[in-house]
Amino acid sequence: MAKKYTKKELEQQIIGKLRRNFGREVEEATPVHMFRACALVLRDIMSARELETESRIRDSHARQVHYLSLEFLMGRSLEKNAYNLGVLPQLKEAVEGLGFSAPDLFEVEPDAGLGNGGLGRLAACYLESMTTLEIPATGYSICYELGLFKQKIVDGQQVELPDNWLDVADCWLIPKVDETERVHFGGEVRDIWGEDGSHRVAYVGGSDVLAVPKDMEIAGYGTEHVNVLRLWDAKSPTPLDMSLFSRGEYLKAVEQQAMAESIAKILYPEDNHYEGKSLRLKQQYFFVSATVQCICRQHKAEYGTLRNFHQKHVIQINDTHPTLVIPELMRILLDEEGYGWDEAWHIVTHTVAYTNHTIMVEALERWPQQLIETLLPRVWQILVEISNRYQAHLNEYFHGDQSKVRDLAVIWGGEVRMANLCVCACFAVNGVSALHSDILKRETFHDVYVQTPEKFKNVTNGIDHRRWLSEINPKLDALIRECAGGDSYLLQPEKLVQLERYKEDASVLNRLAEIKAENKRSFAGYVARESGVLLNTDAIFDVQVKRLHEYKRQLLNVMHITYLYQRLKADPHFEFTPRVYLFGAKAAPGYSVAKEIIHLINSLAATVNADPACKDRLQVVFLENYRVSLAEKLMPASELSEQISTAGKEASGTGNMKFMMNGALTIGTLDGANVEMHQQVGDENIFLFGLKANEVAEKKAKGYRSYEYYMHNEFLKAVIDQITRGFDDGVGYADVTNRLLFGNGGPADEYMLLADFESYREAQERAGRTYRDPGRWNRMALVNIARSGIFAADRSIREYARNIWGVPAKKL
């Protein structure tokens, strides 16, 4: 039975931490001291439970899940851990009792920005769910010193600043220096043959980097089970060359140290030059090599052999970034254990499973052969052997049809194709929504699917509903508890459906509307404090927040806002439901078009917000530095969720699920998980528009001509011409519109914004008309919440556990 903590006990523990760890009395403590003391108190509780969890796993010899992801977008941990540990009310009281404001204290914590978007946030949700379901699991990534970046908008443009999250939040990390691993780069490989025909390899030259584990404990909800996120920090084995330092060659003396530590410096270095590609490949190999060595070392200590490795471990790789785990595990089995190829390959191919998160060609990683040869010579040899054997199989299967062999080969044309390596070597390949998984089978990996249909699975993504509904939206949580059987939905999210019994209950619908209005006012207050911008809380909060990418079509949203602005200017009596358009997005530093679209959004916002014709009717706000903690404030206040990617491009989406659970209605295409959301709520509770995935493919096959849409739609032509000219700041966006009309070296309007514009405009009109009928809107919102339980991460993780991992999950 878990120990219950009182306010007084927590107060005493916090005071003790302040004294012992920071040499402060409460009266002397700053908010940062207080935050860190609270974090250490919770860490102590989790550490004790983690030791008990490890003991149970060891005694039961349970199969363990290892979740490898280059991103884990954890956000803040203090409030979340306190919530899951069941001590949040007592912690708040203790903090207030010591003279601090609990809400202000939670704001002190920086986001652990170890991710870029949906991929990393999904990994964080899944870790929480695996822990809650008591699955023995560990997450692995890199302990990025600077995370992604802090976004600053200067003169309407994105500027990237370093995100020094560790300065304050390193108190969550427990260094395990005694479990350091050594990762080798470069040099040469020499074959050594014994007289008995045995073979081993020796490394000559090259350099080593130390991987030092720093563990972040993950608390589950309603359980004493604790899992761990292991983050690898990079250090040099020879931190300082004293002889060089003594001679005054200071920079050269620390060069090796700096080179090693650059691996863990920042998430996703730019890879549009050789040095960036080299560093990114080093990051990927560093983290998978350290991880596999660690798992193998612990396994061998327990069992004395790796021959049963695949029976006791499953390694789930989150997208292609950790793919080098395949040749690295082969290397250990061949070189360090002396197993034969067939035995090693059997172990690997029964251990590793692959989640594909995108069909975007540029995201299906390909590495230059020469780079791998230079950095990872032994891994290269193993890759060549895998490729040759696979190619021989493909030649036989396809009767020498080289067009088929070429598309599926692991190494071809001087490149190593990571997605092909995954589908060759992994025992399971899954997509992350029904539509996406269907595209993988029908198109992306069709020829592999035909050979091994049993390998392909679907696990639609899910979100941590305890965080993304109950914790961030307490008023809605209270209403659900009243109407849907108390707090049981927290562990059984399917019980949300009981809320639907009240869809004709005027008092419940009015409460729902009041909660949304309060959340809007609260968010507006936050925006006013942060930026001085006053939001019109009587207007629809229409929200598009996600990574800035052309396929997500923030530009289509901008085109529609421009249309509304032009109509308002031409006719002040134009009938239109007032809107506040909220954008939040970061663009990759080297993605110039995405950064230009951010500039365009801010140009449009400045013009619209300054124009008296738009007052109280149209407002556009770009939310700077979008991140998890900002999303937690925004989701409860949102009313219309923009999920408008080109059909067939978004694998799943998870923001769409968070909006749905918080009672926002979706305006979207039938793309990603929108398809399954539509199946749940029906035509009448969602605003659909646009081409379907098969229609997109058909249009492209027939020869899509965006210019014809431009010439035959006067509203669309006026919008494009306006964007070309620009707005009141005098900045024109001809580069953006030329990509739409002429392509600028690629296909014109690759993501078919012009084809979908009219349909999108009509869907926006429908949404506006519906909003003017509050009873109908609130009923639709309630149905969306009630039917959102299927999108909880607990459901996703149960499917992984049952259909892929072969591990039991706690019955709730």
Side-chain angles (χ1 to χ4, degrees):
M1 186 70 182
K3 173 176 166 46
K4 302 290 184 187
Y5 290 87
T6 65
K7 170 199 169 186
K8 188 171 183 182
E9 285 175 314
L10 290 177
E11 274 186 8
Q12 290 171 343
Q13 291 186 31
I14 292 167
I15 291 167
K17 290 293 181 188
L18 285 171
R19 287 173 175 167
R20 289 190 299 275
N21 292 68
F22 308 108
R24 304 275 172 138
E25 295 293 348
V26 173
E27 297 75 21
E28 304 170 285
T30 67
V32 169
H33 290 130
M34 179 58 71
F35 156 71
R36 289 167 68 90
C38 291
L40 290 173
V41 168
L42 297 191
R43 202 181 86 178
D44 283 352
I45 297 171
M46 292 189 290
S47 293
R49 294 185 181 184
E50 187 207 335
L51 291 172
E52 291 168 5
T53 301
E54 284 180 2
S55 179
R56 285 195 301 273
I57 294 168
R58 222 174 10 253
D59 292 346
S60 66
H61 300 289
R63 191 179 202 203
Q64 297 180 48
V65 175
H66 306 276
Y67 196 88
L68 276 63
S69 180
L70 208 54
E71 299 184 36
F72 280 90
L73 196 53
M74 302 303 290
R76 292 169 173 165
S77 293
L78 183 61
E79 190 170 6
K80 174 61 178 171
N81 283 334
Y83 180 92
N84 273 9
L85 292 168
V87 299
L88 183 57
Q90 302 95 301
L91 181 69
K92 287 179 176 176
E93 289 173 9
V95 166
E96 300 279 349
L98 293 171
F100 287 79
S101 157
D104 290 351
L105 192 70
F106 294 142
E107 288 294 317
V108 166
E109 182 176 8
D111 284 51
L114 307 179
N116 183 38
L119 181 83
R121 187 53 231 165
L122 181 82
C125 285
Y126 279 3
L127 267 187
E128 192 273 354
S129 189
M130 284 186 265
T131 309
T132 297
L133 295 178
E134 296 184 353
I135 294 171
T138 308
Y140 301 87
S141 194
I142 294 174
C143 189
Y144 303 105
E145 183 184 331
L146 298 177
L148 186 60
F149 59 82
K150 277 185 184 170
Q151 181 193 56
K152 189 81 179 161
I153 300 300
V154 179
D155 297 330
Q157 300 183 72
Q158 172 178 294
V159 175
E160 300 93 23
L161 302 174
D163 178 16
N164 299 299
W165 73 283
L166 280 170
D167 287 355
V168 173
D170 67 340
C171 49
W172 293 117
L173 302 179
I174 304 173
K176 299 280 182 73
V177 179
D178 57 316
E179 296 180 37
T180 295
E181 304 292 348
R182 190 176 284 259
V183 180
H184 188 76
F185 293 99
E188 296 177 11
V189 179
R190 297 219 177 129
D191 295 303
I192 300 170
W193 295 93
E195 292 180 6
D196 59 353
S198 62
H199 171 256
R200 63 186 180 87
V201 298
Y203 299 103
V204 180
S207 60
D208 288 349
V209 175
L210 299 181
V212 182
K214 295 185 173 180
D215 289 355
M216 180 183 286
E217 290 156 330
I218 308 297
Y221 178 81
T223 175
E224 293 188 50
H225 189 97
V226 169
N227 283 324
V228 164
L229 170 59
R230 173 153 285 194
L231 300 170
W232 296 102
D233 196 12
K235 298 293 179 187
S236 168
T238 52
L240 189 65
D241 187 324
M242 286 304 296
S243 60
L244 287 170
F245 199 85
S246 301
R247 294 202 300 269
E249 297 180 50
Y250 306 127
L251 292 178
K252 202 162 186 181
V254 296
E255 184 177 12
Q256 190 174 355
Q257 182 184 11
M259 290 296 288
E261 292 179 0
S262 68
I263 290 173
K265 185 64 71 175
I266 192 164
L267 173 71
Y268 292 150
E270 282 304 304
D271 64 350
N272 51 8
H273 45 72
Y274 183 86
E275 289 75 13
K277 277 190 175 65
S278 173
L279 180 53
R280 194 180 287 200
L281 183 63
K282 276 184 177 177
Q283 285 185 329
Q284 294 186 3
Y285 181 67
F286 167 79
F287 119 80
V288 302
S289 177
T291 297
V292 177
Q293 289 185 64
C294 166
I295 300 168
C296 288
R297 193 182 310 285
Q298 292 173 354
H299 179 92
K300 201 164 179 187
E302 186 169 355
Y303 296 101
T305 177
L306 295 184
R307 288 203 151 85
N308 64 341
F309 187 84
H310 55 295
Q311 294 164 0
K312 297 298 179 183
H313 304 278
V314 58
I315 294 174
Q316 187 73 41
I317 58 177
N318 198 28
D319 225 352
T320 54
H321 311 123
T323 305
L324 288 171
V325 77
I326 294 163
E328 178 64 5
L329 183 51
M330 284 295 290
R331 182 191 69 78
I332 290 170
L333 297 172
L334 294 170
D335 298 355
E336 297 181 14
E337 299 302 314
Y339 296 173
W341 182 275
D342 290 343
E343 184 178 12
W345 187 245
H346 177 83
I347 292 169
V348 170
T349 55
H350 288 78
T351 299
V352 185
Y354 163 53
T355 300
N356 174 278
H357 281 274
T358 182
I359 57 166
M360 304 290 285
V361 173
E362 66 268 25
L364 296 172
E365 291 182 301
R366 299 180 174 209
W367 289 104
Q369 168 184 331
Q370 184 253 332
L371 185 61
I372 294 183
E373 278 185 283
T374 304
L375 274 181
L376 311 170
R378 179 56 179 152
V379 164
W380 167 250
Q381 290 178 346
I382 293 168
L383 286 170
V384 168
E385 185 67 18
I386 293 172
S387 181
N388 288 344
R389 288 173 181 245
Y390 190 49
Q391 218 160 300
H393 159 75
L394 293 172
N395 268 311
E396 184 181 347
Y397 186 87
F398 292 115
H399 308 293
D401 182 345
Q402 290 306 292
S403 67
K404 301 277 192 186
V405 174
R406 178 194 63 222
D407 290 346
L408 294 179
V410 173
I411 300 173
W412 193 278
E415 287 184 321
V416 181
R417 295 136 161 210
M418 306 313 264
N420 284 0
L421 177 56
C422 288
V423 296
C424 156
C426 294
F427 72 84
V429 175
N430 74 279
V432 292
S433 72
L435 174 65
H436 173 230
S437 295
D438 188 49
I439 290 171
L440 293 182
K441 292 187 282 191
R442 198 178 64 244
E443 298 173 20
T444 314
F445 301 130
H446 176 70
D447 289 326
V448 181
Y449 171 68
V450 170
Q451 297 175 62
T452 53
E454 71 286 348
K455 179 182 284 195
F456 285 80
K457 322 274 186 184
N458 174 62
V459 182
T460 298
N461 283 345
I463 60 171
D464 171 8
H465 70 292
R466 290 172 284 274
R467 181 174 202 142
W468 290 104
L469 198 170
S470 176
E471 187 188 328
I472 69 169
N473 200 341
K475 294 183 178 72
L476 179 57
D477 172 64
L479 179 63
I480 292 168
R481 290 178 191 230
E482 281 180 42
C483 298
D487 65 357
S488 58
Y489 88 95
L490 294 174
L491 292 174
Q492 296 170 296
E494 64 276 8
K495 288 197 171 181
L496 280 169
V497 76
Q498 295 177 23
L499 188 63
E500 195 166 345
R501 295 178 299 189
Y502 299 89
K503 67 180 181 181
E504 304 297 338
D505 187 317
S507 65
V508 170
L509 295 179
N510 287 337
R511 284 252 329 258
L512 191 63
E514 288 164 12
I515 289 166
K516 183 64 72 175
E518 285 181 48
N519 289 337
K520 287 173 71 176
R521 288 193 292 271
S522 175
F523 183 72
Y526 168 79
V527 171
R529 290 192 301 275
E530 291 294 307
S531 65
V533 174
L534 301 177
L535 302 182
N536 175 16
T537 54
D538 294 325
I540 304 177
F541 276 18
D542 183 315
V543 183
Q544 188 174 20
V545 286
K546 53 186 76 234
R547 192 163 47 91
L548 201 307
H549 195 291
E550 287 167 279
Y551 85 81
K552 293 179 185 286
R553 302 205 295 192
Q554 284 93 344
L555 183 54
L556 179 59
N557 195 347
V558 166
M559 288 162 58
H560 178 251
I561 298 168
T562 304
Y563 157 79
L564 293 176
Y565 178 59
Q566 290 178 330
R567 293 298 305 273
L568 281 171
K569 292 294 284 180
D571 176 11
H573 303 294
F574 170 57
E575 189 177 329
F576 161 65
T577 307
R579 298 280 210 295
V580 172
Y581 285 97
L582 296 163
F583 289 89
K586 290 180 179 178
Y591 191 173
S592 58
V593 177
K595 293 177 87 166
E596 196 166 8
I597 291 170
I598 287 177
H599 195 184
L600 168 59
I601 294 168
N602 284 296
S603 289
L604 172 62
T607 297
V608 165
N609 299 341
D611 195 320
C614 299
K615 183 170 172 53
D616 296 329
R617 301 194 70 190
L618 185 61
Q619 189 175 15
V620 182
V621 177
F622 188 92
L623 301 166
E624 186 178 78
N625 197 36
Y626 183 63
R627 59 203 183 279
V628 174
S629 56
L630 178 50
E632 290 172 343
K633 295 177 175 66
L634 174 62
M635 295 290 173
S638 302
E639 293 176 290
L640 194 61
S641 160
E642 299 269 354
Q643 307 298 331
I644 60 177
S645 52
T646 314
K649 294 297 181 185
E650 183 73 84
S652 167
T654 51
N656 46 4
M657 302 168 185
K658 293 164 192 163
F659 283 112
M660 180 188 189
M661 277 190 179
N662 283 280
L665 303 186
T666 299
I667 182 166
T669 52
L670 279 171
D671 193 28
N674 289 0
V675 175
E676 287 149 281
M677 288 167 60
H678 172 240
Q679 288 168 354
Q680 292 298 312
V681 302
D683 288 342
E684 65 277 13
N685 293 301
I686 192 170
F687 302 106
L688 292 179
F689 75 93
L691 298 167
K692 299 180 179 68
N694 63 310
E695 293 168 340
V696 168
E698 285 168 18
K699 263 199 186 301
K700 289 196 171 182
K702 289 177 182 174
Y704 170 59
R705 295 178 180 84
S706 59
Y707 197 77
E708 292 180 5
Y709 288 90
Y710 169 78
M711 292 303 296
H712 292 106
N713 184 325
E714 61 172 320
F715 291 132
L716 179 56
K717 185 176 187 303
V719 164
I720 296 292
D721 291 348
Q722 173 79 65
I723 292 172
T724 303
R725 292 191 305 272
F727 296 90
D728 290 354
D729 60 3
V731 178
Y733 294 93
D735 286 351
V736 172
T737 53
N738 282 341
R739 283 173 76 84
L740 296 176
L741 298 175
F742 310 112
N744 281 7
D749 190 17
E750 183 177 359
Y751 300 109
M752 307 187 91
L753 286 74
L754 276 65
D756 276 351
F757 175 80
E758 193 59 29
S759 177
Y760 178 54
R761 188 179 69 78
E762 290 168 1
Q764 284 279 5
E765 278 189 12
R766 289 200 307 278
R769 284 196 303 273
T770 305
Y771 194 76
R772 294 198 290 271
D773 180 350
R776 184 179 170 203
W777 184 277
N778 294 326
R779 189 161 53 250
M780 291 170 70
L782 183 139
V783 169
N784 269 265
I785 298 165
R787 299 184 188 176
S788 67
I790 193 171
F791 299 112
D794 289 358
R795 187 267 314 150
S796 306
I797 291 301
R798 286 190 186 281
E799 290 180 11
Y800 274 108
R802 182 177 62 247
N803 301 332
I804 296 177
W805 300 336
V807 298
K810 180 183 178 183
K811 290 180 173 60
L812 301 174

